[in-house]
Amino acid sequence: MSNKDGCHHCRTPLSGVKYTVQDDDPYCVMCYNHLFANMCEDCNKAIGWDSKDLAYKDRHWHEACFKCAQCSHSLVEKPFAAKMDLLLCLGCYSDEYSSKCFSCKNPIMPGSRKVEFNGNSWHETCFICKDCKQPIGAKSFIPKDSEDYCLQCFERQFASQCKSCKKAITTEGVTYQGQPWHKECFLCSRCQKQLAGQKCTSRDKVIYCLDCFSALYSRRCVACAKPIASDGVAKYVSFEAHEWHSDCFSCTKCEESLVGKRFIKNQESVFCLECAKGLHMQA
């Protein structure tokens, strides 16, 4: 390295004096400090060429000035935290600013993994399930009576069990005759149609939609042989253990409706009085 031309800035000869190089050009100490040295945030003096320059977020310190703003302990090669442009050792930062773990009451150090819920904070390892005592971490959990449970423990202890699949009901469910069901499990046992929100009935503890129940068990009309609905909506006529839809209860011969009228029954047939006379029947 040649210094025959002297300081690149002031041209002062550098022979026999201390100098430094910046961008391959030599500078005397005074010019280097004036042109290139950063100012220390603590003492507000230049950080000379022969001093160690410690930097954090475009701010610079002498090595001896890089210390905690509260306890003055050196922060060189030590973890630290920043608060309102002040550098603090972790101990001072924790005492002043760190949240306290809701469980162990100790500070949650900067950079530590933590869980926040309902305005409280926990160390990640302190946020545990009330039942199994395992850390919940980022997994799903359910609070109950000021305690927190992982999803598996909550389902095992508190969730209703579906009457059909025997699994916990954690979302939408249906209650029928005092028994809980998943909405998707509450089906007609015959046609497998979903019954949630629909009218249904049961027989011998087996659940049916009304159509299937009628097809299997309802009384049948003597005239048309179709089921007479058992939901109380359809009108029907009953006589001597036989039943007819109201619309089907008519004279077998003239087909005149017999609802509310006198009639004659002959085996499975019914006749109005006029037609019965022609058949030599008596009312």
Side-chain angles (χ1 to χ4, degrees):
M1 178 172 57
S2 174
N3 58 12
K4 64 181 181 179
D5 295 329
C7 173
H8 184 72
H9 182 69
C10 69
R11 301 303 178 184
T12 298
L14 299 177
S15 180
V17 299
K18 292 180 178 180
Y19 70 95
T20 188
V21 177
Q22 180 75 17
D23 298 329
D24 295 328
D25 293 320
Y27 292 87
C28 66
V29 172
M30 184 175 295
C31 287
Y32 176 87
N33 289 344
H34 174 70
L35 295 173
F36 302 109
N38 294 306
M39 301 302 294
C40 176
E41 290 285 332
D42 184 57
C43 67
N44 205 34
K45 294 180 180 180
I47 303 174
W49 67 276
D50 57 348
S51 299
K52 184 179 288 188
D53 185 335
L54 300 181
Y56 174 72
K57 290 188 176 180
D58 297 325
R59 300 163 66 200
H60 300 265
W61 289 262
H62 291 104
E63 185 175 17
C65 295
F66 194 63
K67 56 191 177 182
C68 174
Q70 188 157 316
C71 69
S72 297
H73 287 167
S74 175
L75 298 178
V76 177
E77 297 183 358
K78 294 181 180 178
F80 64 89
K83 186 73 173 181
M84 296 183 293
D85 292 333
L86 298 178
L87 300 186
L88 301 168
C89 66
L90 294 189
C92 290
Y93 182 89
S94 297
D95 291 341
E96 291 293 325
Y97 303 109
S98 288
S99 55
K100 301 295 189 294
C101 176
F102 189 75
S103 178
C104 71
K105 310 305 179 185
N106 291 323
I108 300 176
M109 304 298 282
S112 299
R113 296 176 68 89
K114 67 177 181 179
V115 176
E116 295 182 326
F117 176 63
N118 274 355
N120 296 314
S121 301
W122 289 261
H123 294 106
E124 187 177 49
T125 54
C126 291
F127 190 64
I128 63 176
C129 171
K130 169 68 175 177
D131 187 45
C132 68
K133 308 301 181 184
Q134 295 300 308
I136 294 174
K139 296 183 293 185
S140 298
F141 69 95
I142 300 177
K144 180 177 175 61
D145 299 332
S146 301
E147 302 290 354
D148 302 301
Y149 297 84
C150 67
L151 188 59
Q152 292 78 7
C153 288
F154 182 87
E155 290 179 354
R156 184 175 61 252
Q157 287 206 44
F158 304 110
S160 298
Q161 304 296 313
C162 176
K163 175 72 173 176
S164 176
C165 69
K166 310 303 180 185
K167 295 180 180 179
I169 300 174
T170 57
T171 55
E172 193 171 1
V174 176
T175 299
Y176 179 73
Q177 294 183 344
Q179 298 291 339
W181 308 69
H182 288 112
K183 181 179 178 181
E184 59 273 19
C185 293
F186 190 57
L187 308 173
C188 172
S189 61
R190 183 169 183 258
C191 69
Q192 300 300 303
K193 180 174 69 175
Q194 284 202 358
L195 298 177
Q198 305 297 318
K199 290 184 177 181
C200 60
T201 188
S202 63
R203 180 164 178 164
D204 299 329
K205 299 183 179 180
V206 179
I207 301 175
Y208 301 94
C209 66
L210 294 185
D211 290 340
C212 287
F213 185 85
S214 295
L216 291 172
Y217 301 113
S218 289
R219 301 175 297 271
R220 294 184 177 273
C221 176
V222 173
C224 69
K226 294 180 180 180
I228 296 174
S230 59
D231 59 3
V233 175
K235 294 181 179 180
Y236 65 96
V237 175
S238 178
F239 180 73
E240 293 183 352
H242 291 83
E243 293 169 335
W244 295 260
H245 293 108
S246 293
D247 293 339
C248 295
F249 191 58
S250 56
C251 176
T252 302
K253 184 177 181 181
C254 70
E255 299 184 351
E256 180 182 353
S257 174
L258 297 177
V259 176
K261 299 179 181 179
R262 296 179 67 190
F263 61 91
I264 297 294
K265 181 176 180 297
N266 183 24
Q267 297 181 352
E268 300 297 325
S269 301
V270 287
F271 300 90
C272 65
L273 297 185
E274 191 65 29
C275 290
K277 290 177 182 179
L279 296 174
H280 307 290
M281 294 181 183
Q282 293 183 351

